[in-house]
Amino acid sequence: YARPVGAEEFPGEPAPRMELGSVRAMERELERCRRHLRRLQRALAEERFKVLYLEAALARAPPRPPALPRRPPGSLWGETESRNVCYPCPLITHLLPGCSPPSSLLLVDFNYGTEDYDAEGNEEPKTLPEGSEAMPYIDESPTMSPQLSARGQESGDGVSPTPTDGLNTGVDAGKGLEMRKLVLSGFLASEEIYINQLEALLLPMKPLKATATTSQPVLTLQQIETIFYKIQDIYEIHKEFYDNLCPKVQQWDSNITMGHLFQKLASQLGVYKAFVDNYKIALETAEKCSQSNYQFQKISEVSGAGVVPWALLYKPIDRVTRSTLVLHDLLKHTPSDHPDYPLLQDALRISQNFLSSINEDIDPRRTAVTTPKGETRQLIKDGFLVELSEGSRKLRHVFLFTDVLLCAKLKKTAVGKHQQYDCKWYVPLADLVFPSPEESEHCPQVHVIPDHELEDMKMKISAIKSEVQKEKANKGQSRAIERLKKKMFENEFWLLLNSPAIPFRIHNRNGKSYLFLLSSDYERSEWREAIQKLQKKDLQAFVLSSVELQVLTGSCFKLRTVHNIPVTSNKDDDESPGLYGFLHVIVHSAKGFKQSANLYCTLEVDSFGYFVSKAKTRVFRDTTEPQWNEEFEIELEGSQSLRILCYEKCYDKTKLNKDNNEIVDKIMGKGQIQLDPQAVQTKNWHMDVIEMNGIKVEFSMKFTSRDMSLKRTPSKKQTGVFGVKISVVTKRERSKVPYIVRQCIEEVEKRGIEEVGIYRISGVATDIQALKAVFDANNKDILVMLSDMDINAIAGTLKLYFRELPEPLLTDRLYPAFMEGIALSDPAAKENCMMHLLRSLPDPNLITFLFLLEHLKRVAEKEPINKMSLHNLATVFGPTLLRPSEGESKGHLTLASDIWSHDVMAQVQVLLYYLQHPPISFTELKRNTLYFSTDV
């Protein structure tokens, strides 16, 4: 029979005796006693609550609330808790900075409920070393703070982040299964205590809700919801878990399986995340209500041993930590071939990742999350991409982890709230494939923004920039500056969203495809290469639980390396504004190719937050060492970086990209350099080498600021055509239109009118200079040379001719009138003015202008093929034809960086007006006369 309990426990009356004949009878009697004790505790608590509530309600003048009673050392929750002392969860002090938990909380036991068991399975009770953590942070990654290590290093009881590492190596199977039962028995006992504590927390909730709808509520419904947030859900989850686990432990069998119960419990941790997020405000609300509301203060004292229920609010936070430790110990004593092993492993991984997400708030360096294989999941790359979703463009933040690609968007949050990401979709890298161009499905219909709208937006942005600079210079109101910056951000965001056009498709082999639109082949290649490099590892397919997805998405905000949308309005005032002007680049040669190929290079620079392709070398055929030696002049618009991409040309017309109907060339290498203003702003060429995947490209560059490059310098010799007045050239040639203009236009219309980006893509500078020399010398071989020359070089020569005229084609004298005429709002007045200004031009200028005008209109008719609209052409030629010569331009050019200044925009608008006008006949124009002064 059982040994009588000491008489000191029952003063004045005999101690109870129990005649029990077997171990089985003892177990049954123990279970019966526990059930009876729970019923009595609940009944006692209910009666105390009623008494205190009624006393408080009847009191007319509530006395000063007494201090909360301290729990005496022996007064604990239930008999099973009286043996060990633990410490409060470290999360408490973080979630409530400067607020210590009540002293009574220090005595609450969190052990497994067995005095002869510790986490390693030793037979004797184990004492924790002084200063060690009793409540460990489970996910112990290399980035983890030392003070957060599990149980302290001295205890030798650290928890590995990888469940499979050394958990059951060399452990006797029989002993391991026996230890499983011991671990589960202890855990079941502590689970029972935990459920009782949750019941104690919930006990006041029902009567408080009942009074909330009366004329004298103790608390409002909102206060009740805040204090007891998610407690009912947590209680139901654990009650179900306990009810399913209890019979399995009581009817123990070596083959018993219960891993699915722990897996289900782990999958419901999302409710704990919501509880933790609300924890601080719940505790603050409970404390405030207790201090200001005597009735609630009395009700709060009703708990079993004098502990106020809201003081138990930290229990759910601690419980996940305890459960995770138990899972680790269960795995340690579970054979790897046991059916429970993979289920427990999965449950442990989910729990560890959940704890990691909470602990990140304590130590920002904690960035590791474990993958399904138990390895550390790390962020490899992230950035903003435009996704085509449901037929519209959406800006997404894409995160590439070691085993998964996650696409998210930033949630809109209230003022003062932390920003969070919302996961739109994810694809495990093991399931991710890139469809080849010929295999890809047809791209859904995308609304492509016309180029002229993009150019218009650039002009608007630049105009707002100028206004901001003027406001700052005049020390204007900060409110006005902020309003302008907001408008600029909206316009830049629109440009960022609508300018990309290069397709980047990602396919999940389980079904769905996703399409991004990028502004540069460089980014597409970077993302593809980063993903393919990770896919070389042994990756496994998986499905993230809702909790894991929540944790992973939550980690994105802290892990991200790209914090701001790449628009200039996000830059600080002291950041470099970039370079404005012209970058001259000579692409010399390339080495390092392993086999002969058809090779060419493209040049890209950043503009308005994204990269734009600006130039392209000729294809050097069948070689391993191409020698291009081609020079390009690239216009910079606040640029900070230069990119060089090296391609192998593909002539196989079967390899068409169905997204944009273009043949896909293979990127052999790519590289990028920063444009350091100090390094490039010299008169001398600066030579450099970019290394890309073992390939070295040699190039030289020099920079010319915009104010220097826009000077019209008259030619010292009047025998040529460049830098010579147009009237002198036409008189010498006895022609109405200069020969150079006629020949270049004829050649462009013959074989370049369908060339993509004609007049926009830079020609090779050396070719342009060669043509310039031939025209200046009036060489007889001009026609032969023109027929052999690259068409972009010919287009570039025509632009250079107009740019180097000592006076603009539309003359310095009439420039102010053109600026004022285009600003007129009345259509009839504008028409009269603009036509009168044309009539006022010298005949050679007017005839040449009308000749060029008709040519540019013919080019624009081929816009579906050459992508050159009237607006594009006006942007290219407007400043070239109107920009005043140096002497006249003083006062017109303000900032060298102001590429899209008001004057430049007006110059574009003048040419666009004439391009959009019905055909203008020189004869008709001269026949008509106007009756007002030429002084407009």
Side-chain angles (χ1 to χ4, degrees):
Y1 62 89
R3 182 175 62 82
V5 181
E8 67 276 6
E9 298 287 334
F10 300 89
E13 54 185 275
R17 295 177 62 84
M18 292 178 284
E19 300 291 334
L20 301 171
S22 67
V23 173
R24 183 67 178 159
M26 289 181 185
E27 290 178 345
R28 282 198 297 269
E29 181 65 9
L30 175 61
E31 183 59 26
R32 187 192 67 77
C33 290
R34 282 178 175 166
R35 287 198 300 271
H36 187 51
L37 180 61
R38 283 202 301 272
R39 282 197 298 271
L40 290 173
Q41 284 174 333
R42 279 197 294 269
L44 179 61
E46 286 172 4
E47 292 305 311
R48 280 183 176 173
F49 173 81
K50 291 173 186 176
V51 169
L52 292 170
Y53 177 69
L54 291 170
E55 284 177 351
L58 290 169
R60 292 182 181 179
R64 183 182 178 86
L68 295 180
R70 291 175 63 89
R71 180 190 288 186
S75 178
L76 299 172
W77 275 90
E79 288 294 319
T80 57
E81 295 184 292
S82 61
R83 297 186 176 101
N84 298 290
V85 176
C86 273
Y87 308 94
C89 178
L91 279 168
I92 297 291
T93 53
H94 166 66
L95 292 168
L96 282 174
C99 174
S100 300
S103 58
S104 58
L105 299 187
L106 299 177
L107 300 172
V108 181
D109 173 43
F110 291 99
N111 215 328
Y112 296 140
T114 56
E115 68 174 338
D116 57 351
Y117 170 76
D118 68 67
E120 286 294 326
N122 300 323
E123 297 299 325
E124 296 178 5
K126 188 169 183 174
T127 306
L128 288 171
E130 187 178 350
S132 65
E133 293 273 9
M135 308 221 174
Y137 287 80
I138 300 304
D139 186 16
E140 194 178 11
S141 68
T143 55
M144 189 173 179
S145 179
Q147 71 268 22
L148 298 180
S149 61
R151 293 203 176 192
Q153 294 301 317
E154 299 105 332
S155 69
D157 193 21
V159 180
S160 164
T162 309
T164 55
D165 289 349
L167 290 180
N168 52 14
T169 308
V171 175
D172 177 74
K175 185 181 178 183
L177 290 171
E178 190 60 35
M179 289 304 301
R180 267 164 56 87
K181 180 183 179 183
L182 190 57
V183 172
L184 286 169
S185 298
F187 181 60
L188 198 62
S190 66
E191 187 76 2
E192 185 179 328
I193 294 166
Y194 178 52
I195 290 170
N196 286 340
Q197 291 163 346
L198 292 175
E199 285 179 342
L201 268 171
L202 289 169
L203 189 62
M205 187 172 71
K206 195 177 250 187
L208 284 171
K209 278 190 173 179
T211 65
T213 54
T214 65
S215 58
Q216 291 185 319
V218 178
L219 297 181
T220 66
L221 277 174
Q222 185 176 359
Q223 288 171 326
I224 296 167
E225 288 296 329
T226 301
I227 295 171
F228 297 97
Y229 186 66
K230 295 296 180 183
I231 301 293
Q232 183 69 42
D233 294 340
I234 292 172
Y235 170 77
E236 289 170 2
I237 288 168
H238 281 270
K239 187 69 170 65
E240 181 187 3
F241 173 76
Y242 178 86
D243 290 344
N244 289 325
L245 183 63
C246 188
K248 289 181 179 289
V249 176
Q250 288 179 343
Q251 300 165 16
W252 184 255
D253 182 274
S254 59
N255 296 321
I256 200 164
T257 59
M258 42 68 207
H260 60 287
L261 299 178
F262 282 93
Q263 192 182 41
K264 183 178 179 182
L265 185 66
S267 71
Q268 295 171 309
L269 285 175
V271 71
Y272 276 95
K273 179 72 172 85
F275 174 85
V276 169
D277 290 343
N278 181 71
Y279 174 79
K280 183 178 177 180
I281 191 171
L283 205 51
E284 287 175 348
T285 304
E287 285 180 329
K288 285 177 184 175
C289 291
S290 182
Q291 290 167 7
S292 62
N293 188 317
Y294 177 69
Q295 289 177 294
F296 180 67
Q297 199 274 333
K298 295 295 289 180
I299 290 168
S300 298
E301 295 173 4
V302 93
S303 185
V307 179
V308 289
W310 52 263
L312 297 173
L313 273 174
Y314 80 101
K315 292 290 186 182
I317 297 173
D318 172 74
R319 192 61 191 169
V320 184
T321 310
R322 290 285 100 194
S323 302
T324 309
L325 187 59
V326 170
L327 279 166
H328 189 275
D329 293 333
L330 273 175
L331 267 171
K332 198 177 287 185
H333 303 296
T334 301
S336 56
D337 58 351
H338 193 283
D340 271 349
Y341 192 83
L343 300 174
L344 292 172
Q345 197 176 35
D346 194 46
L348 176 58
R349 178 175 57 81
I350 295 171
S351 300
Q352 285 178 334
N353 287 342
F354 175 78
L355 282 178
S356 294
S357 71
I358 297 177
N359 291 346
E360 276 175 7
D361 292 333
I362 298 174
D363 185 353
R365 291 175 297 164
R366 291 181 48 79
T367 58
V369 180
T370 54
T371 67
K373 291 181 69 178
E375 298 167 348
T376 301
R377 175 181 286 143
Q378 295 176 326
L379 180 67
I380 305 300
K381 179 178 172 63
D382 70 297
F384 289 97
L385 299 180
V386 174
E387 183 187 13
L388 189 66
S389 174
E390 298 174 355
S392 61
R393 295 168 181 251
K394 311 282 186 185
L395 191 67
R396 305 295 194 208
H397 200 149
V398 182
F399 296 85
L400 175 61
F401 290 91
T402 40
D403 64 333
V404 65
L405 185 76
L406 185 143
C407 178
K409 80 164 188 174
L410 205 56
K411 286 183 180 178
K412 288 184 179 178
T413 52
V415 178
K417 293 278 188 180
H418 285 299
Q419 286 185 308
Q420 289 181 320
Y421 282 101
D422 179 26
C423 177
K424 303 308 294 182
W425 51 264
Y426 72 92
V427 181
L429 297 191
D431 291 331
L432 190 152
V433 290
F434 297 111
S436 63
E438 55 271 21
E439 291 172 348
S440 65
E441 333 163 347
H442 279 286
C443 175
Q445 189 61 39
V446 189
H447 174 59
V448 179
I449 303 296
D451 284 347
H452 70 84
E453 289 189 28
L454 299 176
E455 299 299 333
D456 277 345
M457 188 57 75
K458 287 182 183 181
M459 291 180 181
K460 287 179 185 176
I461 293 165
S462 295
I464 296 172
K465 279 184 185 175
S466 297
E467 288 184 55
V468 171
Q469 288 169 349
K470 287 174 187 173
E471 286 285 342
K472 286 180 179 177
N474 299 330
K475 296 183 179 178
Q477 293 183 352
S478 59
R479 188 178 297 176
I481 293 173
E482 286 305 312
R483 189 170 62 250
L484 287 169
K485 281 189 171 182
K486 183 182 178 184
K487 185 66 177 174
M488 185 164 71
F489 174 82
E490 290 171 357
N491 290 343
E492 286 189 306
F493 185 82
W494 182 92
L495 193 64
L496 192 69
L497 203 62
N498 289 286
S499 58
I502 296 175
F504 176 45
R505 192 180 292 278
I506 286 166
H507 182 68
N508 186 334
R509 60 165 46 98
N510 294 327
K512 193 164 181 185
S513 288
Y514 305 94
L515 178 64
F516 294 107
L517 297 172
L518 310 182
S519 61
S520 165
D521 209 7
Y522 195 98
E523 275 94 16
R524 178 166 63 178
S525 176
E526 271 193 326
W527 280 99
R528 183 179 282 131
E529 286 173 11
I531 292 169
Q532 288 172 340
K533 184 177 179 181
L534 292 169
Q535 287 180 324
K536 290 178 182 176
K537 299 176 183 178
D538 179 25
L539 297 172
Q540 294 180 356
F542 58 87
V543 176
L544 293 174
S545 69
S546 59
V547 175
E548 288 177 298
L549 189 57
Q550 191 177 16
V551 168
L552 184 60
T553 308
S555 71
C556 289
F557 189 78
K558 290 187 176 68
L559 299 182
R560 61 189 180 159
T561 61
V562 180
H563 293 81
N564 294 318
I565 296 169
V567 293
T568 55
S569 48
N570 274 340
K571 289 183 179 178
D572 295 329
D573 291 338
D574 56 353
E575 285 189 61
S576 169
L579 294 171
Y580 290 83
F582 293 91
L583 185 69
H584 299 264
V585 182
I586 301 175
V587 182
H588 296 293
S589 60
K591 295 179 181 178
F593 297 99
K594 294 178 181 177
Q595 56 188 31
S596 293
N598 303 314
L599 303 165
Y600 69 93
C601 287
T602 62
L603 305 179
E604 295 181 354
V605 291
D606 53 313
S607 166
F608 290 86
Y610 58 95
F611 277 82
V612 180
S613 183
K614 288 284 189 176
K616 176 181 173 182
T617 69
R618 64 167 62 90
V619 178
F620 220 93
R621 289 179 176 253
D622 298 322
T623 182
T624 56
E625 294 189 6
Q627 299 283 332
W628 293 289
N629 294 313
E630 296 179 32
E631 182 183 336
F632 302 93
E633 183 184 76
I634 297 171
E635 192 171 23
L636 303 182
E637 304 167 310
S639 306
Q640 293 179 313
S641 301
L642 168 70
R643 289 173 172 176
I644 298 182
L645 295 92
C646 191
Y647 289 87
E648 178 184 359
K649 182 69 178 175
C650 174
Y651 291 102
D652 184 355
K653 292 187 178 180
T654 62
K655 293 188 176 180
L656 276 179
N657 187 331
K658 292 183 181 177
D659 285 323
N660 58 10
N661 210 32
E662 290 181 7
I663 295 172
V664 179
D665 295 336
K666 180 183 177 184
I667 293 182
M668 304 299 288
K670 64 185 188 309
Q672 176 173 310
I673 60 165
Q674 293 302 113
L675 296 175
D676 179 9
Q678 301 300 322
V680 299
Q681 287 194 31
T682 61
K683 292 182 179 179
N684 301 323
W685 287 93
H686 169 68
M687 197 162 185
D688 209 338
V689 174
I690 280 186
E691 293 198 31
M692 38 174 84
N693 301 345
I695 300 164
K696 293 182 179 180
V697 174
E698 193 177 75
F699 66 99
S700 299
M701 62 181 178
K702 70 175 180 179
F703 173 75
T704 310
S705 62
R706 187 167 179 81
D707 54 344
M708 290 295 293
S709 63
L710 294 181
K711 288 181 180 177
R712 293 184 182 273
T713 308
S715 175
K716 292 179 181 177
K717 55 178 184 177
Q718 293 295 303
T719 55
V721 292
F722 282 83
V724 179
K725 285 186 176 180
I726 194 167
S727 58
V728 173
V729 173
T730 51
K731 187 176 181 181
R732 185 201 310 141
E733 294 177 353
R734 296 180 183 178
S735 62
K736 293 181 179 180
V737 176
Y739 179 70
I740 183 174
V741 175
R742 285 184 282 118
Q743 289 304 318
C744 287
I745 286 177
E746 184 180 324
E747 200 64 36
V748 168
E749 292 194 0
K750 188 190 298 181
R751 57 189 179 91
I753 202 163
E754 293 186 353
E755 183 77 15
V756 174
I758 190 68
Y759 290 120
R760 182 170 53 81
I761 299 293
S762 300
V764 178
T766 45
D767 289 349
I768 294 171
Q769 291 303 317
L771 280 170
K772 177 182 176 181
V774 170
F775 275 111
D776 270 342
N778 195 22
N779 194 302
K780 294 179 181 178
D781 296 327
I782 289 176
L783 294 178
V784 176
M785 194 171 178
L786 279 174
S787 61
D788 289 339
M789 194 62 74
D790 178 68
I791 198 64
N792 285 318
I794 296 170
T797 303
L798 181 64
K799 288 190 294 180
L800 184 66
Y801 169 73
F802 286 115
R803 200 163 75 205
E804 291 195 356
L805 283 174
E807 181 185 51
L809 187 65
L810 300 188
T811 73
D812 286 328
R813 181 178 65 86
L814 294 176
Y815 180 76
F818 276 113
M819 295 299 97
E820 292 175 28
I822 198 64
L824 292 172
S825 53
D826 178 57
K830 183 185 285 189
E831 167 78 9
N832 287 336
C833 179
M834 298 303 278
M835 291 303 110
H836 172 69
L837 288 172
L838 282 188
R839 276 190 295 273
S840 303
L841 286 170
D843 282 0
N845 297 57
L846 177 57
I847 295 170
T848 302
F849 177 68
L850 295 177
F851 185 78
L852 177 64
L853 209 59
E854 292 309 308
H855 164 66
L856 294 180
K857 289 182 179 180
R858 288 192 290 272
V859 171
E861 287 173 2
K862 298 288 185 179
E863 182 191 353
I865 303 170
N866 62 32
K867 313 296 183 190
M868 292 299 291
S869 64
L870 288 175
H871 198 289
N872 280 348
L873 294 164
T875 304
V876 171
F877 278 94
T880 302
L881 301 178
L882 279 129
R883 187 192 70 251
S885 53
E886 188 181 1
E888 298 294 327
S889 63
K890 288 175 181 174
H892 292 294
L893 286 174
T894 51
L895 296 167
S897 63
D898 197 4
I899 250 188
W900 295 102
S901 67
H902 177 73
D903 277 2
V904 175
M905 286 190 279
Q907 291 160 15
V908 172
Q909 291 301 319
V910 168
L911 180 55
L912 186 60
Y913 179 85
Y914 291 121
L915 283 170
Q916 292 173 337
H917 196 279
I920 303 168
S921 161
F922 175 78
T923 309
E924 287 295 319
L925 200 62
K926 284 293 185 180
R927 186 180 299 137
N928 293 333
T929 57
L930 289 175
Y931 299 102
F932 54 81
S933 169
T934 56
D935 296 328
V936 180

